[in-house]
Amino acid sequence: MSRSITYITGSQLLALRRQPNIAIVDVRDEERTYDGHISSSLHFPSDTFSDNLPNLLLQIKGKDTLVFHCALSQVRGPTCARKLVNYLEESKEDAGIKNIMVLERGFNGWEASGRPVCRCTNVPCKEHGTA
């Protein structure tokens, strides 16, 4: 069964992100360090993403919806989402993931729309920010 990747708007993610079944996966590389990030997002840089897929699956146990993003969600975000889909199909692993999404306009669109950005340096981010 081939999984499809869908897109989610920043407004939709803002409304859903506090639900316990959602994980936000930031695949930007070093720019996360100085640009900030969406609070409570996980950081899995695109340049090492494939090598860290088993670790990602451990960190998202119990989540059924993953939302990927990079700066603009045009290349790295969708590419990493597709890598996860391919990994799950090849390994025949049932990780309980029902929805794999990409954030439209990425982090830059999220921030430009005035949505909350966390500037902590915690790895992983433990902030919950404000809605």
Side-chain angles (χ1 to χ4, degrees):
M1 176 178 110
S2 182
R3 295 174 188 256
S4 64
I5 297 170
T6 58
Y7 281 77
I8 185 172
T9 67
S11 296
Q12 291 168 321
L13 180 57
L14 189 63
L16 296 175
R17 72 186 183 121
R18 297 206 187 282
Q19 302 217 4
N21 64 320
I22 292 179
I24 301 168
V25 183
D26 184 343
V27 299
R28 292 175 300 154
D29 299 312
E30 72 283 344
E31 68 263 42
R32 177 182 166 106
T33 310
Y34 49 83
D35 283 348
H37 52 274
I38 298 172
S39 66
S40 72
S41 62
L42 302 172
H43 187 217
F44 283 84
S46 65
D47 59 356
T48 58
F49 186 79
S50 295
D51 296 334
N52 286 311
L53 276 166
N55 187 29
L56 172 63
L57 291 176
L58 285 173
Q59 286 198 34
I60 56 123
K61 274 219 185 303
K63 311 285 185 190
D64 66 11
T65 300
L66 300 186
V67 179
F68 285 82
H69 78 82
C70 56
L72 299 171
S73 289
Q74 293 178 346
V75 177
R76 293 175 293 178
T79 298
C80 290
R82 175 59 47 205
K83 284 179 181 179
L84 175 64
V85 166
N86 292 342
Y87 179 84
L88 292 172
E89 287 175 356
E90 289 170 13
S91 68
K92 308 251 188 285
E93 187 167 339
D94 180 13
I97 300 167
K98 294 184 175 113
N99 303 300
I100 297 176
M101 302 177 169
V102 175
L103 175 62
E104 287 179 1
R105 299 180 58 226
F107 176 80
N108 293 1
W110 175 271
E111 184 177 38
S113 298
R115 295 189 178 94
V117 172
C118 181
R119 305 228 183 258
C120 79
T121 56
N122 300 332
V123 178
C125 173
K126 302 264 192 244
E127 298 295 318
H128 295 292
T130 57

